[in-house]
Amino acid sequence: MSEEKLIKLDMGQLRANDTADARPTVCLGIESSCDETSAAIVDSNRNILAHIIYSQIPEHQKYGGVVPELAARAHILAIDEVIRQTLERANMTISDIDVVAATAGPGLIGGVLVGWMAATGIAQATGKPLVAVNHLEGHALVPRLCAASANDTSAGASVDFPYLLMLASGGHCQILLVRGVGKYELIGQTLDDSAGEAFDKVSKMLGLGYPGGPIVDRRATLGNPRAFDFPRPLTDKPGCDFSFSGIKTAARTFLAKYAAPYGDEFINDFCASFQAAVVDCITNRLSHAMKSQAVRDAAPKTLVVAGGVAKNSAIRAAMEKLANDNGMLFAAPPMNLCTDNGAMIAWAGLENYQIGNIVREPVAPRPRWPLTEL
Ligand code: KG4
Ligand code: ZN
């Protein structure tokens, strides 16, 4: 689905795929695990009927990263209004909703609690079924709601199980075999930092601001990827695990040789060289994953990237090429569904509801909740 079409759907103007006979199931999803307060209404025909993302980034920018206490307070202040506006945009009341879903972890626990309690309150007051969504599963399943290849050729196509997933966000960096809803097999993961963290830290070192990913991505398009010789940790080793701390240390060592403030050309070259190293690590580890026994046995047709780092243009392009070279399809969520958002939680809520995975007894939100523990 293209960005343009998504915006139209966001405005609640059309329900492109609705069939006349069967009324689709409608899910309200709530996300509050980091620095976005978001809600969305999604239906089982893959329509996003309304979607509001209230980003707290401006509130955290001056601290160079997310401050958990400030985030929790901002979620409290925003959550009711975000939910109210989402219903209004969809031209719905709560009685039109079939299922309520919210992130129950992993994430910053103060924020998770705010969204989870809001969802629990709505479900209890209305008697609607409630789904406790794993935030990572939201990222992992959203390509099934709507995916686009890097050059948009498969826009609107769904992604079938099993698929090979590169999940790269601010807190996680994992290669997973997605066999079905709630069925994840870990193929590889970072031994230290996540890819998103590496982008954020390099941006901070250069004095470019937070979040670093989009800024470094933009600068990298203007620079020379061969200007600085960054290491590619573990790429000479077998296996599918990542390590980004060596790249980060190399960045610090390079920068120690030059005095700030850095010129534009220097920054662009630095970002391009750093990003090229991250891209090489990701493609190397994914190509090992494709050759692993578990992946060969499962024979996934599609290579998928998800999480905030999936917004990165170079990573999307390199992964699409890798998929093509290996006879696989490639899919990525549209840009606005890569970083944290309510639509991915609503969709994961819907998919869990469809297999009967609803809350039957009180659930305690979890700061840590690996996908392999679903
Ligand atoms: O998934 P997400 O919104 O939050 C977590 O669940 O962690 O991911 C946020 C991360 C941040 O580290 C941000 O710098 C990174 O995604 N990011 C990017 C880009 N856009 C966001 N990294 C690389 N390139 C981008 N264009
Ligand atoms: Zn996330």
Side-chain angles (χ1 to χ4, degrees):
M1 187 178 287
S2 70
E3 288 276 297
E4 199 184 14
K5 187 167 174 198
L6 190 81
I7 289 161
K8 280 196 197 134
L9 292 173
D10 276 354
M11 304 309 286
Q13 289 169 345
L14 73 152
R15 300 183 182 194
N17 306 321
D18 274 12
T19 50
D21 39 337
R23 182 189 168 279
T25 309
V26 177
C27 180
L28 166 69
I30 298 169
E31 157 60 27
S32 62
S33 67
C34 192
D35 56 354
E36 268 91 23
T37 318
S38 181
I41 299 171
V42 164
D43 76 20
S44 50
N45 284 339
R46 297 192 158 86
N47 296 309
I48 300 172
L49 305 175
H51 193 191
I52 304 250
I53 303 175
Y54 165 65
S55 172
Q56 304 174 5
I57 286 173
E59 296 175 50
H60 300 288
Q61 240 152 8
K62 58 178 172 291
Y63 304 101
V66 181
V67 184
E69 290 77 8
L70 293 183
R73 196 168 58 190
H75 285 303
I76 291 173
L77 295 175
I79 194 91
D80 288 352
E81 187 56 16
V82 166
I83 295 170
R84 195 192 64 71
Q85 282 187 25
T86 304
L87 286 164
E88 189 178 279
R89 275 202 187 180
N91 204 13
M92 285 180 165
T93 65
I94 202 70
S95 59
D96 298 311
I97 303 295
D98 300 308
V99 194
V100 182
T103 301
L108 302 174
I109 198 65
V112 174
L113 271 165
V114 174
W116 180 245
M117 294 319 293
T120 305
I122 294 170
Q124 283 188 352
T126 58
K128 310 267 181 198
L130 175 66
V131 179
V133 175
N134 178 300
H135 176 86
L136 300 172
E137 183 161 53
H139 282 301
L141 294 180
V142 77
R144 288 168 52 75
L145 167 61
C146 49
S149 74
N151 60 14
D152 228 12
T153 48
S154 65
S158 171
V159 176
D160 295 327
F161 299 125
Y163 52 91
L164 185 62
L165 173 69
M166 175 76 234
L167 177 54
S169 68
H172 293 82
C173 183
Q174 301 181 330
I175 300 175
L176 295 143
L177 188 54
V178 184
R179 295 185 187 275
V181 178
K183 293 183 185 149
Y184 299 89
E185 187 173 334
L186 187 64
I187 305 293
Q189 64 181 330
T190 185
L191 305 175
D192 39 60
D193 291 350
S194 72
E197 242 174 309
F199 273 95
D200 292 336
K201 285 178 180 164
V202 164
S203 173
K204 200 168 184 176
M205 285 178 213
L206 291 166
L208 296 178
Y210 176 86
I215 307 171
V216 172
D217 187 358
R218 201 167 50 246
R219 291 298 202 127
T221 58
L222 306 170
N224 172 7
R226 282 173 294 278
F228 295 88
D229 190 17
F230 277 90
R232 272 76 172 152
L234 299 182
T235 53
D236 56 345
K237 303 260 180 340
C240 308
D241 288 336
F242 297 88
S243 169
F244 292 109
S245 70
I247 303 185
K248 190 184 64 189
T249 307
R252 196 168 288 126
T253 311
F254 285 141
L255 289 179
K257 293 187 197 140
Y258 303 89
Y262 310 110
D264 273 343
E265 197 182 333
F266 178 95
I267 291 176
N268 296 345
D269 286 348
F270 200 84
C271 290
S273 303
F274 157 77
Q275 187 173 280
V278 174
V279 168
D280 285 351
C281 291
I282 289 177
T283 49
N284 173 278
R285 303 284 91 185
L286 280 170
S287 63
H288 285 204
M290 287 171 176
K291 292 184 194 94
S292 70
Q293 199 59 50
V295 174
R296 287 218 317 260
D297 288 349
K301 285 199 193 69
T302 314
L303 176 64
V304 175
V305 64
V309 180
K311 268 190 165 171
N312 188 278
S313 41
I315 293 173
R316 284 167 95 101
M319 280 186 60
E320 178 158 51
K321 181 171 182 312
L322 183 72
N324 290 341
D325 291 349
N326 287 275
M328 292 176 80
L329 300 168
F330 171 71
M335 292 296 188
N336 65 337
L337 300 187
C338 291
T339 35
D340 293 347
N341 65 87
M344 71 183 197
I345 302 305
W347 178 254
L350 205 48
E351 291 228 70
N352 273 282
Y353 172 73
Q354 285 167 338
I355 60 164
N357 191 11
I358 60 171
V359 169
R360 293 175 205 283
E361 45 194 61
V363 164
R366 297 169 63 170
R368 286 180 53 76
W369 187 8
L371 275 176
T372 45
E373 286 179 20
L374 288 186

